Amino acid sequence: MKSFYVAANWKMHKNPEQTRKFFKNFLAQVQTRNHLIFFPPAANFESCASSLLGSSVKWGSQNCYHLAQGAFTGENSLQVVKEMGGTHALIGHSERRQFFGETGELLAKKVKFAKDIGMIPMLCVGESLTERDQGKTNQVLSEQLKQGLSLQTEGSNLMIAYEPVWAIGTGRVASVEQVQEAHAHIHQELNNLGMTRTPVLYGGSVKADNCLQLARLEGVDGFLVGGASLEVESFLPIAQVQF
Ligand code: PGA
């Protein structure tokens, strides 16, 4: 059986009380061998950390800066996330690239910093609809991987999330063929970089009713789930997917 990872990206949702309530309910029900990781917004790190204390469920930040501390108003220190018990850092989500202008060069520094301090970066890559329509999907994926991993020399403790931008939050999930093809391409690129064992997660409108079919695909090592991760009822079947 392959190791399977299910990550929840809560984006800018929930307050500390809702976070505690979610985990109380979720932990009372969840039974799975899948590896689970939550990315709460920064204001909920404390409630997330205390709720998950003693459980095997991991958590991390949705973004990070590439230095441990300093005069960087508005940023959150990944070093502090680590001290609080966090283990992962989501890096280069398409919303960060699109709305906050994050470049490949900056993302490479973030990936390196996360690894340097012993956190696990999850680098997100994915094409826009225009890029897909223009037949540039593989080219875009290769470029984003090359840039994001440019300061990176090996692939342990590193994860990749393939998230076609047009499938995020739209309810429009990529077809089985599209997912398979993109994952094969990403794995190939990672092999070329000597990062053979890097898990590649799929993200983009993963729901209870499509997760089993997607989980069975070769090259899909897990999911990054947005909307469907916000409620226990909608997330449990995905978190517990078994194939
Ligand atoms: P979605 O979001 O599951 O709501 O499409 C995925 C993501 O942005 O990580």
Side-chain angles (χ1 to χ4, degrees), residues 9 11 93 95 163 167-169 204-206 224-227:
N9 176 11
K11 309 192 180 186
H93 188 280
E95 286 151 18
E163 296 208 305
I168 296 176
S205 298
V206 175
L224 179 56
V225 188

Side-chain angles (χ1 to χ4, degrees), residues 44-115:
N44 298 345
F45 285 165
E46 177 63 43
S47 53
C48 179
S50 56
S51 300
L52 293 178
L53 206 64
S55 89
S56 60
V57 178
K58 310 282 189 212
W59 67 276
S61 61
Q62 296 173 9
N63 177 31
C64 70
Y65 195 60
H66 57 83
L67 293 169
Q69 61 182 351
F72 305 105
T73 303
E75 292 290 341
N76 288 292
S77 169
L78 196 60
Q79 179 64 46
V80 173
V81 174
K82 185 181 176 191
E83 286 162 12
M84 293 175 74
T87 46
H88 290 66
L90 203 56
I91 295 177
H93 188 280
S94 65
E95 286 151 18
R96 300 295 316 171
R97 293 177 192 258
Q98 199 181 335
F99 304 138
F100 304 99
E102 297 197 355
T103 62
E105 202 184 329
L106 175 68
L107 299 177
K109 289 185 190 168
K110 295 185 177 198
V111 170
K112 180 175 188 311
F113 177 70
K115 292 230 20 195

Side-chain angles (χ1 to χ4, degrees), residues 138-158:
N138 285 352
Q139 186 190 328
V140 169
L141 297 178
S142 298
E143 273 165 20
Q144 290 181 349
L145 285 170
K146 205 170 132 208
Q147 289 172 341
L149 302 177
S150 60
L151 302 175
Q152 199 50 45
T153 49
E154 46 91 35
S156 64
N157 288 338
L158 167 74

Side-chain angles (χ1 to χ4, degrees), residues 210-222:
N210 59 26
C211 67
L212 183 57
Q213 190 187 28
L214 291 165
R216 286 184 172 142
L217 298 179
E218 201 189 324
V220 174
D221 305 304

